[in-house]
Amino acid sequence: MKKLVTILAASAMLVSLAGCAGGLDASADGPKDPGDIVVGFAQVGAESGWRTANTKDIQDSFKEAGIELKFSDAQQKQENQIKAIRSYITQGVDVIAFSPVVETGWDAVLQEAKDADIPVVLTDRAVDSKDDSLYVSFLGSDFILEGEKAGEWLVEEYKDQTEPVKIIQLEGTTGAAPAIDRAEGFANVIAADPKFEVVASQTGDFTRAGGKQVTEALLKSNPDVDVIYSHNDDMGLGAIEAIEAAGLKPGKDIKIITVDAVKDGMQALADGKINFIVECSPLLGKQLIEIVEKVVAGEEVEKRIVADETTFTQEQAIEALPDRKY
Ligand code: AHR
């Protein structure tokens, strides 16, 4: 009997040691080293100077943090982003981050990520979904606020004018959060005074070529336009080319407001060809890494993280340009 008790006690100890060995395995239970973390990032594309700066910042930040980054460029196509996300799920990455090209149509693929226990971080742009459990955090700008800031500048600029102010709006990619929200914020503010009239509004897909093409066409049907409100710098820079080709002076004959504040936009503002820029920061890499590390460690993360941003007049652009990183 005594012998049997000794054998049972020894076996129990072995079982408990085996359990301990499992517990000491960092990859199973303990915190992961940055070098063991793998993140899949599905980028929108390379449509603008902002996007190029955003991609570089994300890639540089992950390199510096020593975290493996799997990166894909969707060339502005939702189906490409969905494919990339599915491939990250199959590869079993630790976290998926992406900047949705449009707001809707994500629920199915995000549910697949959730079912596979892979947390998703929305970076830069939001999704329009009723189920906010499909992502752990949304890091990016307040695009409605950006549109409001553009509208507020306009209201102030024309405060002494009673004549109508005719506006062309160059929209970003149709269905994208920044296009929807920047239009909404701007409309909210200018609605206070009926003299402001958006005479035409069309998408230039956030590209310089798109902005140029749309402006060329719209100037023909609206030769007496006063202002162009462009949802990003690149389309505004395209509009400058179209205005100059039409023999007019951008910034004087037609005032231009843009969003982003990338170097080329800031240079045009300093040169007096753009009149006002609302900043949208592409430098999201470091904050994304903080979120990834917390999520992988099982810590709570904030559901919404908003970037701190400013606005620029010509004088402020001249001052800021020498130190502008992007
Ligand atoms: O989502 C951010 C927007 O996308 C930037 O304002 C624009 O330049 C980019 O393409």
Side-chain angles (χ1 to χ4, degrees):
M1 183 63 186
K2 216 173 166 190
K3 214 174 175 185
L4 184 66
V5 170
T6 315
I7 290 168
L8 283 174
S11 329
M13 222 167 126
L14 272 177
V15 169
S16 114
L17 274 175
C20 260
L24 289 172
D25 177 357
S27 65
D29 295 312
K32 276 197 174 195
D33 283 337
D36 295 328
I37 302 173
V38 182
V39 175
F41 190 93
Q43 181 62 289
V44 170
E47 73 281 5
S48 61
W50 188 99
R51 189 64 56 196
T52 308
N54 177 248
T55 293
K56 183 176 179 332
D57 182 61
I58 285 169
Q59 289 176 332
D60 290 353
S61 303
F62 274 81
K63 204 166 175 194
E64 202 180 299
I67 297 177
E68 188 183 337
L69 179 71
K70 293 181 183 291
F71 185 89
S72 64
D73 172 340
Q75 299 178 334
Q76 297 246 71
K77 290 197 175 73
Q78 183 173 33
E79 64 265 32
N80 290 347
Q81 276 194 313
I82 290 177
K83 256 189 232 158
I85 294 170
R86 288 211 167 108
S87 137
Y88 295 146
I89 296 172
T90 311
Q91 291 172 62
V93 300
D94 297 293
V95 177
I96 292 171
F98 84 116
S99 175
V101 61
V102 290
E103 270 191 343
T104 55
W106 300 102
D107 283 27
V109 73
L110 292 183
Q111 187 62 52
E112 289 166 35
K114 191 178 171 187
D115 293 343
D117 274 334
I118 300 177
V120 172
V121 181
L122 302 178
T123 310
D124 159 40
R125 296 182 182 179
V127 295
D128 182 1
S129 170
K130 284 197 182 75
D131 184 359
D132 73 356
S133 76
L134 295 176
Y135 59 91
V136 289
S137 186
F138 165 33
L139 161 69
S141 307
D142 181 339
F143 297 135
I144 295 188
L145 183 65
E146 290 173 352
E148 286 171 353
K149 288 179 186 171
E152 279 155 14
W153 180 83
L154 191 68
V155 169
E156 178 61 22
E157 181 72 6
Y158 286 91
K159 66 173 186 290
D160 298 327
Q161 179 170 317
T162 48
E163 297 292 294
V165 179
K166 296 190 174 168
I167 305 158
I168 285 177
Q169 176 168 239
L170 298 177
E171 300 166 19
T173 303
T174 305
I180 296 167
D181 293 353
R182 286 173 188 164
E184 185 185 325
F186 185 73
N188 288 347
V189 173
I190 63 165
D193 190 336
K195 78 179 176 214
F196 294 109
E197 193 191 339
V198 178
V199 292
S201 187
Q202 261 185 42
T203 180
D205 215 9
F206 280 130
T207 66
R208 203 177 284 212
K212 184 177 178 192
Q213 206 184 343
V214 170
T215 307
E216 266 165 9
L218 292 181
L219 280 182
K220 288 189 183 122
S221 41
N222 302 277
D224 56 347
V225 67
D226 301 295
V227 176
I228 290 185
Y229 166 46
S230 169
H231 289 182
N232 79 345
D233 284 348
D234 279 75
M235 292 189 296
L237 292 164
I240 290 174
E241 291 177 31
I243 293 168
E244 286 176 337
L248 297 167
K249 283 202 168 61
K252 293 199 170 61
D253 296 324
I254 300 176
K255 296 207 168 141
I256 303 179
I257 309 168
T258 65
V259 184
D260 276 356
V262 295
K263 256 193 190 150
D264 287 355
M266 292 285 271
Q267 188 59 58
L269 178 58
D271 295 342
K273 295 184 176 190
I274 291 179
N275 304 80
F276 187 67
I277 300 185
V278 178
E279 186 184 41
C280 176
S281 176
L283 306 180
L284 303 173
K286 297 236 159 23
Q287 282 169 293
L288 176 59
I289 282 162
E290 278 173 33
I291 298 172
V292 164
E293 285 178 336
K294 280 188 180 171
V295 166
V296 171
E299 290 170 30
E300 283 285 304
V301 289
E302 283 174 68
K303 198 78 189 181
R304 177 76 172 105
I305 300 167
V306 188
D308 222 8
E309 288 156 347
T310 185
T311 58
F312 293 95
T313 59
Q314 184 181 32
E315 297 70 41
Q316 290 164 329
I318 292 169
E319 210 184 310
L321 255 173
D323 302 321
R324 202 77 187 150
K325 286 202 191 72
Y326 54 90

mmCIF file of all heavy atoms in Angstrom, residues 228-267:
data_model
loop_
_atom_site.group_PDB
_atom_site.id
_atom_site.type_symbol
_atom_site.label_atom_id
_atom_site.label_comp_id
_atom_site.label_asym_id
_atom_site.label_seq_id
_atom_site.Cartn_x
_atom_site.Cartn_y
_atom_site.Cartn_z
ATOM 1 N N ILE A 228 -11.820 76.604 -54.791
ATOM 2 C CA ILE A 228 -11.798 75.141 -54.922
ATOM 3 C C ILE A 228 -11.478 74.560 -53.541
ATOM 4 O O ILE A 228 -10.484 74.946 -52.908
ATOM 5 C CB ILE A 228 -10.760 74.679 -55.966
ATOM 6 C CG1 ILE A 228 -11.258 75.068 -57.363
ATOM 7 C CG2 ILE A 228 -10.525 73.160 -55.874
ATOM 8 C CD1 ILE A 228 -10.416 74.598 -58.513
ATOM 9 N N TYR A 229 -12.345 73.693 -53.072
ATOM 10 C CA TYR A 229 -12.087 72.970 -51.823
ATOM 11 C C TYR A 229 -11.739 71.535 -52.218
ATOM 12 O O TYR A 229 -12.574 70.804 -52.755
ATOM 13 C CB TYR A 229 -13.332 73.006 -50.921
ATOM 14 C CG TYR A 229 -13.292 72.008 -49.773
ATOM 15 C CD1 TYR A 229 -12.147 71.869 -48.980
ATOM 16 C CD2 TYR A 229 -14.394 71.203 -49.456
ATOM 17 C CE1 TYR A 229 -12.098 70.954 -47.935
ATOM 18 C CE2 TYR A 229 -14.364 70.298 -48.408
ATOM 19 C CZ TYR A 229 -13.209 70.181 -47.654
ATOM 20 O OH TYR A 229 -13.163 69.267 -46.617
ATOM 21 N N SER A 230 -10.494 71.165 -51.957
ATOM 22 C CA SER A 230 -10.013 69.849 -52.377
ATOM 23 C C SER A 230 -9.790 68.963 -51.147
ATOM 24 O O SER A 230 -9.139 69.397 -50.185
ATOM 25 C CB SER A 230 -8.704 70.025 -53.149
ATOM 26 O OG SER A 230 -8.100 68.778 -53.342
ATOM 27 N N HIS A 231 -10.272 67.732 -51.199
ATOM 28 C CA HIS A 231 -10.163 66.835 -50.047
ATOM 29 C C HIS A 231 -8.730 66.375 -49.766
ATOM 30 O O HIS A 231 -8.504 65.706 -48.766
ATOM 31 C CB HIS A 231 -11.062 65.603 -50.238
ATOM 32 C CG HIS A 231 -12.525 65.903 -50.119
ATOM 33 N ND1 HIS A 231 -13.494 64.946 -50.212
ATOM 34 C CD2 HIS A 231 -13.189 67.074 -49.891
ATOM 35 C CE1 HIS A 231 -14.688 65.487 -50.062
ATOM 36 N NE2 HIS A 231 -14.530 66.783 -49.872
ATOM 37 N N ASN A 232 -7.798 66.652 -50.681
ATOM 38 C CA ASN A 232 -6.384 66.442 -50.316
ATOM 39 C C ASN A 232 -5.470 67.349 -51.137
ATOM 40 O O ASN A 232 -5.907 68.007 -52.085
ATOM 41 C CB ASN A 232 -5.966 64.963 -50.393
ATOM 42 C CG ASN A 232 -5.672 64.460 -51.795
ATOM 43 O OD1 ASN A 232 -6.023 65.096 -52.780
ATOM 44 N ND2 ASN A 232 -5.028 63.311 -51.882
ATOM 45 N N ASP A 233 -4.192 67.383 -50.725
ATOM 46 C CA ASP A 233 -3.220 68.253 -51.404
ATOM 47 C C ASP A 233 -3.039 67.848 -52.863
ATOM 48 O O ASP A 233 -2.945 68.699 -53.747
ATOM 49 C CB ASP A 233 -1.847 68.141 -50.722
ATOM 50 C CG ASP A 233 -1.779 68.884 -49.405
ATOM 51 O OD1 ASP A 233 -2.696 69.670 -49.108
ATOM 52 O OD2 ASP A 233 -0.790 68.668 -48.667
ATOM 53 N N ASP A 234 -2.934 66.543 -53.094
ATOM 54 C CA ASP A 234 -2.616 66.088 -54.455
ATOM 55 C C ASP A 234 -3.649 66.568 -55.479
ATOM 56 O O ASP A 234 -3.281 67.050 -56.552
ATOM 57 C CB ASP A 234 -2.500 64.556 -54.504
ATOM 58 C CG ASP A 234 -1.136 64.114 -54.003
ATOM 59 O OD1 ASP A 234 -0.935 64.154 -52.778
ATOM 60 O OD2 ASP A 234 -0.276 63.783 -54.836
ATOM 61 N N MET A 235 -4.915 66.427 -55.160
ATOM 62 C CA MET A 235 -5.938 66.906 -56.101
ATOM 63 C C MET A 235 -5.853 68.427 -56.243
ATOM 64 O O MET A 235 -6.049 68.967 -57.333
ATOM 65 C CB MET A 235 -7.337 66.490 -55.637
ATOM 66 C CG MET A 235 -7.576 64.990 -55.703
ATOM 67 S SD MET A 235 -9.304 64.562 -55.399
ATOM 68 C CE MET A 235 -9.533 65.109 -53.710
ATOM 69 N N GLY A 236 -5.517 69.110 -55.160
ATOM 70 C CA GLY A 236 -5.349 70.570 -55.205
ATOM 71 C C GLY A 236 -4.189 70.951 -56.121
ATOM 72 O O GLY A 236 -4.262 71.930 -56.875
ATOM 73 N N LEU A 237 -3.107 70.147 -56.065
ATOM 74 C CA LEU A 237 -1.950 70.427 -56.925
ATOM 75 C C LEU A 237 -2.313 70.187 -58.395
ATOM 76 O O LEU A 237 -1.865 70.915 -59.282
ATOM 77 C CB LEU A 237 -0.762 69.535 -56.498
ATOM 78 C CG LEU A 237 -0.191 69.894 -55.114
ATOM 79 C CD1 LEU A 237 0.680 68.773 -54.566
ATOM 80 C CD2 LEU A 237 0.598 71.201 -55.165
ATOM 81 N N GLY A 238 -3.141 69.179 -58.637
ATOM 82 C CA GLY A 238 -3.639 68.947 -60.003
ATOM 83 C C GLY A 238 -4.515 70.114 -60.456
ATOM 84 O O GLY A 238 -4.437 70.553 -61.605
ATOM 85 N N ALA A 239 -5.323 70.639 -59.530
ATOM 86 C CA ALA A 239 -6.201 71.778 -59.855
ATOM 87 C C ALA A 239 -5.367 73.002 -60.227
ATOM 88 O O ALA A 239 -5.723 73.742 -61.159
ATOM 89 C CB ALA A 239 -7.101 72.094 -58.660
ATOM 90 N N ILE A 240 -4.240 73.195 -59.529
ATOM 91 C CA ILE A 240 -3.354 74.337 -59.839
ATOM 92 C C ILE A 240 -2.909 74.261 -61.302
ATOM 93 O O ILE A 240 -2.942 75.251 -62.034
ATOM 94 C CB ILE A 240 -2.124 74.339 -58.888
ATOM 95 C CG1 ILE A 240 -2.569 74.701 -57.474
ATOM 96 C CG2 ILE A 240 -1.032 75.284 -59.386
ATOM 97 C CD1 ILE A 240 -1.486 74.590 -56.420
ATOM 98 N N GLU A 241 -2.517 73.061 -61.734
ATOM 99 C CA GLU A 241 -2.073 72.886 -63.130
ATOM 100 C C GLU A 241 -3.199 73.250 -64.099
ATOM 101 O O GLU A 241 -2.982 73.922 -65.107
ATOM 102 C CB GLU A 241 -1.640 71.433 -63.379
ATOM 103 C CG GLU A 241 -0.354 71.052 -62.658
ATOM 104 C CD GLU A 241 0.005 69.582 -62.873
ATOM 105 O OE1 GLU A 241 -0.321 69.031 -63.942
ATOM 106 O OE2 GLU A 241 0.598 68.988 -61.947
ATOM 107 N N ALA A 242 -4.416 72.793 -63.766
ATOM 108 C CA ALA A 242 -5.561 73.069 -64.659
ATOM 109 C C ALA A 242 -5.892 74.564 -64.687
ATOM 110 O O ALA A 242 -6.203 75.124 -65.752
ATOM 111 C CB ALA A 242 -6.779 72.268 -64.194
ATOM 112 N N ILE A 243 -5.809 75.217 -63.535
ATOM 113 C CA ILE A 243 -6.118 76.657 -63.459
ATOM 114 C C ILE A 243 -5.092 77.452 -64.271
ATOM 115 O O ILE A 243 -5.437 78.351 -65.049
ATOM 116 C CB ILE A 243 -6.144 77.120 -61.969
ATOM 117 C CG1 ILE A 243 -7.324 76.464 -61.234
ATOM 118 C CG2 ILE A 243 -6.224 78.639 -61.869
ATOM 119 C CD1 ILE A 243 -7.287 76.607 -59.723
ATOM 120 N N GLU A 244 -3.807 77.076 -64.115
ATOM 121 C CA GLU A 244 -2.757 77.794 -64.857
ATOM 122 C C GLU A 244 -2.915 77.570 -66.362
ATOM 123 O O GLU A 244 -2.739 78.490 -67.161
ATOM 124 C CB GLU A 244 -1.371 77.358 -64.359
ATOM 125 C CG GLU A 244 -1.080 77.962 -62.979
ATOM 126 C CD GLU A 244 0.228 77.513 -62.354
ATOM 127 O OE1 GLU A 244 0.722 76.426 -62.740
ATOM 128 O OE2 GLU A 244 0.736 78.243 -61.476
ATOM 129 N N ALA A 245 -3.278 76.328 -66.726
ATOM 130 C CA ALA A 245 -3.467 76.026 -68.157
ATOM 131 C C ALA A 245 -4.637 76.834 -68.731
ATOM 132 O O ALA A 245 -4.664 77.127 -69.927
ATOM 133 C CB ALA A 245 -3.709 74.533 -68.344
ATOM 134 N N ALA A 246 -5.572 77.213 -67.869
ATOM 135 C CA ALA A 246 -6.726 78.012 -68.323
ATOM 136 C C ALA A 246 -6.402 79.506 -68.308
ATOM 137 O O ALA A 246 -7.276 80.352 -68.532
ATOM 138 C CB ALA A 246 -7.940 77.719 -67.432
ATOM 139 N N GLY A 247 -5.139 79.850 -68.024
ATOM 140 C CA GLY A 247 -4.692 81.250 -68.049
ATOM 141 C C GLY A 247 -5.083 82.039 -66.810
ATOM 142 O O GLY A 247 -5.077 83.268 -66.817
ATOM 143 N N LEU A 248 -5.396 81.318 -65.714
ATOM 144 C CA LEU A 248 -5.788 81.999 -64.469
ATOM 145 C C LEU A 248 -4.709 81.795 -63.397
ATOM 146 O O LEU A 248 -3.842 80.922 -63.528
ATOM 147 C CB LEU A 248 -7.126 81.441 -63.972
ATOM 148 C CG LEU A 248 -8.326 81.653 -64.908
ATOM 149 C CD1 LEU A 248 -9.499 80.792 -64.464
ATOM 150 C CD2 LEU A 248 -8.723 83.128 -64.936
ATOM 151 N N LYS A 249 -4.806 82.599 -62.321
ATOM 152 C CA LYS A 249 -3.804 82.520 -61.245
ATOM 153 C C LYS A 249 -4.379 81.780 -60.035
ATOM 154 O O LYS A 249 -5.248 82.304 -59.336
ATOM 155 C CB LYS A 249 -3.387 83.930 -60.816
ATOM 156 C CG LYS A 249 -2.426 84.610 -61.761
ATOM 157 C CD LYS A 249 -1.673 85.724 -61.005
ATOM 158 C CE LYS A 249 -0.499 86.249 -61.796
ATOM 159 N NZ LYS A 249 -0.878 86.849 -63.084
ATOM 160 N N PRO A 250 -3.852 80.550 -59.757
ATOM 161 C CA PRO A 250 -4.330 79.832 -58.570
ATOM 162 C C PRO A 250 -3.936 80.596 -57.305
ATOM 163 O O PRO A 250 -2.833 81.142 -57.220
ATOM 164 C CB PRO A 250 -3.587 78.483 -58.649
ATOM 165 C CG PRO A 250 -2.417 78.720 -59.542
ATOM 166 C CD PRO A 250 -2.792 79.830 -60.472
ATOM 167 N N GLY A 251 -4.846 80.647 -56.342
ATOM 168 C CA GLY A 251 -4.551 81.365 -55.087
ATOM 169 C C GLY A 251 -5.032 82.804 -55.150
ATOM 170 O O GLY A 251 -5.211 83.439 -54.108
ATOM 171 N N LYS A 252 -5.206 83.330 -56.387
ATOM 172 C CA LYS A 252 -5.667 84.735 -56.542
ATOM 173 C C LYS A 252 -7.018 84.764 -57.260
ATOM 174 O O LYS A 252 -8.026 85.126 -56.673
ATOM 175 C CB LYS A 252 -4.628 85.539 -57.303
ATOM 176 C CG LYS A 252 -3.348 85.696 -56.493
ATOM 177 C CD LYS A 252 -2.471 86.833 -56.953
ATOM 178 C CE LYS A 252 -1.349 87.082 -55.950
ATOM 179 N NZ LYS A 252 -0.453 85.907 -55.769
ATOM 180 N N ASP A 253 -7.011 84.326 -58.548
ATOM 181 C CA ASP A 253 -8.287 84.309 -59.286
ATOM 182 C C ASP A 253 -9.224 83.259 -58.675
ATOM 183 O O ASP A 253 -10.436 83.453 -58.629
ATOM 184 C CB ASP A 253 -8.050 83.971 -60.759
ATOM 185 C CG ASP A 253 -7.211 85.036 -61.450
ATOM 186 O OD1 ASP A 253 -7.402 86.220 -61.105
ATOM 187 O OD2 ASP A 253 -6.370 84.695 -62.297
ATOM 188 N N ILE A 254 -8.646 82.165 -58.297
ATOM 189 C CA ILE A 254 -9.440 81.103 -57.636
ATOM 190 C C ILE A 254 -8.690 80.702 -56.363
ATOM 191 O O ILE A 254 -7.515 80.316 -56.413
ATOM 192 C CB ILE A 254 -9.603 79.866 -58.555
ATOM 193 C CG1 ILE A 254 -10.315 80.269 -59.861
ATOM 194 C CG2 ILE A 254 -10.363 78.748 -57.828
ATOM 195 C CD1 ILE A 254 -10.436 79.156 -60.882
ATOM 196 N N LYS A 255 -9.350 80.822 -55.235
ATOM 197 C CA LYS A 255 -8.705 80.449 -53.965
ATOM 198 C C LYS A 255 -8.795 78.935 -53.794
ATOM 199 O O LYS A 255 -9.758 78.302 -54.240
ATOM 200 C CB LYS A 255 -9.376 81.159 -52.804
ATOM 201 C CG LYS A 255 -9.181 82.651 -52.943
ATOM 202 C CD LYS A 255 -9.194 83.392 -51.650
ATOM 203 C CE LYS A 255 -8.699 84.795 -51.929
ATOM 204 N NZ LYS A 255 -9.363 85.831 -51.228
ATOM 205 N N ILE A 256 -7.782 78.368 -53.134
ATOM 206 C CA ILE A 256 -7.741 76.911 -52.976
ATOM 207 C C ILE A 256 -7.521 76.541 -51.504
ATOM 208 O O ILE A 256 -6.610 77.064 -50.849
ATOM 209 C CB ILE A 256 -6.621 76.285 -53.849
ATOM 210 C CG1 ILE A 256 -6.824 76.676 -55.323
ATOM 211 C CG2 ILE A 256 -6.589 74.766 -53.694
ATOM 212 C CD1 ILE A 256 -5.768 76.134 -56.267
ATOM 213 N N ILE A 257 -8.365 75.624 -51.040
ATOM 214 C CA ILE A 257 -8.224 75.059 -49.681
ATOM 215 C C ILE A 257 -7.982 73.569 -49.875
ATOM 216 O O ILE A 257 -8.704 72.921 -50.649
ATOM 217 C CB ILE A 257 -9.517 75.217 -48.853
ATOM 218 C CG1 ILE A 257 -10.028 76.649 -48.885
ATOM 219 C CG2 ILE A 257 -9.315 74.732 -47.431
ATOM 220 C CD1 ILE A 257 -11.455 76.775 -48.334
ATOM 221 N N THR A 258 -7.000 73.004 -49.172
ATOM 222 C CA THR A 258 -6.760 71.558 -49.281
ATOM 223 C C THR A 258 -6.604 70.944 -47.883
ATOM 224 O O THR A 258 -6.556 71.657 -46.882
ATOM 225 C CB THR A 258 -5.494 71.243 -50.108
ATOM 226 O OG1 THR A 258 -4.349 71.745 -49.409
ATOM 227 C CG2 THR A 258 -5.538 71.873 -51.497
ATOM 228 N N VAL A 259 -6.476 69.631 -47.865
ATOM 229 C CA VAL A 259 -6.256 68.899 -46.608
ATOM 230 C C VAL A 259 -5.017 68.007 -46.796
ATOM 231 O O VAL A 259 -4.846 67.433 -47.875
ATOM 232 C CB VAL A 259 -7.466 67.992 -46.263
ATOM 233 C CG1 VAL A 259 -7.268 67.300 -44.906
ATOM 234 C CG2 VAL A 259 -8.774 68.768 -46.271
ATOM 235 N N ASP A 260 -4.194 67.890 -45.802
ATOM 236 C CA ASP A 260 -3.015 66.992 -45.693
ATOM 237 C C ASP A 260 -1.796 67.723 -45.130
ATOM 238 O O ASP A 260 -1.271 67.328 -44.117
ATOM 239 C CB ASP A 260 -2.595 66.334 -47.017
ATOM 240 C CG ASP A 260 -3.392 65.060 -47.333
ATOM 241 O OD1 ASP A 260 -4.209 64.670 -46.481
ATOM 242 O OD2 ASP A 260 -3.215 64.501 -48.422
ATOM 243 N N ALA A 261 -1.277 68.719 -45.904
ATOM 244 C CA ALA A 261 -0.039 69.417 -45.527
ATOM 245 C C ALA A 261 1.199 68.562 -45.754
ATOM 246 O O ALA A 261 2.081 68.490 -44.896
ATOM 247 C CB ALA A 261 -0.109 69.936 -44.084
ATOM 248 N N VAL A 262 1.258 67.892 -46.913
ATOM 249 C CA VAL A 262 2.519 67.239 -47.317
ATOM 250 C C VAL A 262 3.410 68.330 -47.926
ATOM 251 O O VAL A 262 2.937 69.416 -48.238
ATOM 252 C CB VAL A 262 2.278 66.087 -48.332
ATOM 253 C CG1 VAL A 262 1.483 64.967 -47.709
ATOM 254 C CG2 VAL A 262 1.592 66.578 -49.606
ATOM 255 N N LYS A 263 4.696 68.003 -48.087
ATOM 256 C CA LYS A 263 5.662 69.033 -48.518
ATOM 257 C C LYS A 263 5.249 69.778 -49.791
ATOM 258 O O LYS A 263 5.322 71.006 -49.839
ATOM 259 C CB LYS A 263 7.028 68.381 -48.736
ATOM 260 C CG LYS A 263 7.974 68.673 -47.609
ATOM 261 C CD LYS A 263 9.380 68.303 -47.961
ATOM 262 C CE LYS A 263 10.217 68.390 -46.699
ATOM 263 N NZ LYS A 263 11.326 67.490 -46.674
ATOM 264 N N ASP A 264 4.808 69.040 -50.819
ATOM 265 C CA ASP A 264 4.446 69.712 -52.084
ATOM 266 C C ASP A 264 3.278 70.676 -51.889
ATOM 267 O O ASP A 264 3.237 71.754 -52.481
ATOM 268 C CB ASP A 264 4.053 68.676 -53.159
ATOM 269 C CG ASP A 264 5.260 67.928 -53.693
ATOM 270 O OD1 ASP A 264 6.401 68.268 -53.300
ATOM 271 O OD2 ASP A 264 5.067 66.999 -54.496
ATOM 272 N N GLY A 265 2.326 70.281 -51.062
ATOM 273 C CA GLY A 265 1.190 71.150 -50.763
ATOM 274 C C GLY A 265 1.658 72.381 -49.996
ATOM 275 O O GLY A 265 1.254 73.515 -50.308
ATOM 276 N N MET A 266 2.518 72.158 -49.020
ATOM 277 C CA MET A 266 3.029 73.263 -48.198
ATOM 278 C C MET A 266 3.847 74.236 -49.051
ATOM 279 O O MET A 266 3.805 75.447 -48.835
ATOM 280 C CB MET A 266 3.886 72.705 -47.061
ATOM 281 C CG MET A 266 3.069 71.917 -46.041
ATOM 282 S SD MET A 266 2.111 72.992 -44.979
ATOM 283 C CE MET A 266 3.298 73.254 -43.687
ATOM 284 N N GLN A 267 4.586 73.695 -50.039
ATOM 285 C CA GLN A 267 5.372 74.567 -50.930
ATOM 286 C C GLN A 267 4.431 75.445 -51.751
ATOM 287 O O GLN A 267 4.660 76.645 -51.898
ATOM 288 C CB GLN A 267 6.263 73.707 -51.844
ATOM 289 C CG GLN A 267 7.257 74.511 -52.660
ATOM 290 C CD GLN A 267 8.200 75.341 -51.782
ATOM 291 O OE1 GLN A 267 8.904 74.807 -50.940
ATOM 292 N NE2 GLN A 267 8.179 76.672 -51.944
#
